Amino acid sequence: MPGGLVQRSRRRLSCCVQTCFLTRLRTTDAYPLDSADPDFELRFVHLLEDKRGSSHDVNNVVAAIIDDVRRHGDAAGVELTNKFDCSNAALDSLRISAAEIASAAASVLDAIRGALQTARDRIWSHHDKQKPKDQVYTDHLGVTLGTRWTSVDAFGIYVPGGLASYPPSVLINTVPTRVAGVERIAMVVPTPNSEINPAILLAAQIVGVTDIYHIGGAQAIAALAYGTAAIAKVDKVVSPGNAYVATAKRQVFGQVGIDMIAGPSEVLVIADGSANPTWVAADLIAQAEHGAGAQSILVATEKGFADTVAAEVDWQLALLPK
C-alpha cells in the first residue's frame, strides 16, 4: 500500500466515517483508537510514526558497506555476509552450484512444484501480452523512422531470505525478464545460518536463472551494481527488501537501473460490520509478516467489529509458525 494513502489519512479519518475505530495487528491497552476521542489525531499520528525510525544511521551504514564492497570486492562481501547472516560463506563458495540447485529443487513437494509452474505460466502469459513491438515506417519525405526494443544484457534480482522466504518473488521479478529476452539473470539471496528455502532454488530453476549467489543485504546490491571477481555487474537491479536493501538501491541508482524503492510494507483496511473478519485479519497478517517495520491498520465503523478482527488475528497468529 503506497505510503501516501496512510499519510492522507492523517488529516482526519473521521471525515470518512462519523466514528471510526482503529486497531493494530497486535492489540494493546492503547488500542483501538476512537476517532471521537479528543486526543485521537495525536494518538493516530503517534501510531503511524511508531514504526518510522531515522534513516540517517541506515544511510551511513549502507554507504560504508557499498564503499567496502567497491574497494575489497568478494572479500568484503563474504565478511559482511558471515557477520550479518551468521553464515559460513567463503570466497570460493559464493555461487550456488548447479548440483546444489538440482538437489534442493528435487526435494520440494510436488504440490508446491505444480503451484510454482502454474504461476510461472500465468505470469509469462500476462507479460508476453505487454511486450512492445518494433515499428519501422517511411514518412512522406522518404525518411525511414522507427522504434526498436532490446533487452538489457544482465539483470540482477534480490530475493529476501531473512525473516521470511518468498519463492513467488523469484517468479514475479524474473519471468518478465525472460519474456524480454535477457540472457543473464543473477540472483542474490541471503542464507541465514547457511540455510535456504529449497522452493527458492526450484523457482529459479523453473524460470532459468543463470547465476545464484548466497549473499544478502546492502553488500549484495553493491556487488550487483559494481561487480566483483565472483559476481559480474548487471545493468538493472530489482528487489523487495528491508531498509538496508532499499537504501542500497537508492545509493547505487545511476550506476545501475532499479525498479523502485520498496517498503516498509503497509496496509490500511477500511471495513464496516458487513466485512468478513477472517479475511480482514488475514489481510493484516499478510503484510505484517514482511518485517518488524511493517504496519497493518484496520479502520472500522463499529468497535464490536474491530474487537472481533483483533480476536481473529490472535487466533490466526497462534496457528502460524512466525
Side-chain angles (χ1 to χ4, degrees), residues 114-134:
L116 290 173
Q117 290 173 333
T118 297
R120 185 271 314 272
D121 294 343
R122 288 175 57 80
I123 296 169
W124 189 291
S125 175
H126 173 71
H127 287 287
D128 191 49
K129 293 177 175 61
Q130 295 180 316
K131 195 174 177 182
K133 300 187 182 305
D134 294 346

Side-chain angles (χ1 to χ4, degrees), residues 47-250:
L47 180 150
L48 294 178
E49 294 179 346
D50 187 36
K51 293 291 185 74
R52 300 291 180 266
S54 171
S55 62
H56 179 72
D57 290 341
V58 174
N59 283 327
N60 290 341
V61 170
V62 168
I65 289 173
I66 292 174
D67 183 64
D68 196 11
V69 173
R70 289 185 66 182
R71 290 172 179 270
H72 305 109
D74 295 324
V78 167
E79 180 181 353
L80 292 164
T81 294
N82 291 335
K83 175 182 178 180
F84 294 124
D85 291 341
C86 300
S87 187
N88 59 354
L91 287 174
D92 59 353
S93 64
L94 279 178
R95 182 166 179 164
I96 300 177
S97 70
E100 290 176 289
I101 296 170
S103 176
S107 71
V108 178
L109 296 175
D110 289 341
I112 296 177
R113 180 184 302 275
L116 290 173
Q117 290 173 333
T118 297
R120 185 271 314 272
D121 294 343
R122 288 175 57 80
I123 296 169
W124 189 291
S125 175
H126 173 71
H127 287 287
D128 191 49
K129 293 177 175 61
Q130 295 180 316
K131 195 174 177 182
K133 300 187 182 305
D134 294 346
Q135 183 184 47
V136 178
Y137 66 96
T138 302
D139 69 6
H140 68 285
L141 297 177
V143 178
T144 299
L145 304 169
T147 302
R148 179 168 175 259
W149 295 86
T150 59
S151 66
V152 299
D153 293 327
F155 184 86
I157 169 178
Y158 184 100
V159 179
L163 182 63
S165 179
Y166 305 102
S169 69
V170 178
L171 305 179
I172 291 167
N173 285 309
T174 57
V175 171
T177 306
R178 275 284 175 237
V179 172
V182 177
E183 294 186 1
R184 176 175 172 259
I185 302 177
M187 186 177 98
V188 291
V189 54
T191 54
N193 301 312
S194 301
E195 297 177 354
I196 186 170
N197 183 348
I200 290 285
L201 298 180
L202 172 60
Q205 184 186 67
I206 288 173
V207 179
V209 174
T210 54
D211 308 321
I212 306 177
Y213 305 92
H214 58 83
I215 178 175
Q219 62 270 23
I221 301 299
L224 290 173
Y226 292 97
T228 67
I231 305 174
K233 75 179 301 293
V234 300
D235 301 304
K236 185 170 185 176
V237 176
V238 304
S239 74
N242 60 22
Y244 294 90
V245 172
T247 300
K249 286 170 60 181
R250 181 183 293 111

Side-chain angles (χ1 to χ4, degrees), residues 250-268:
R250 181 183 293 111
Q251 293 189 12
V252 302
F253 176 59
Q255 176 67 25
V256 292
I258 62 172
D259 51 346
M260 62 182 289
I261 305 299
S265 292
E266 297 174 335
V267 65
L268 173 66

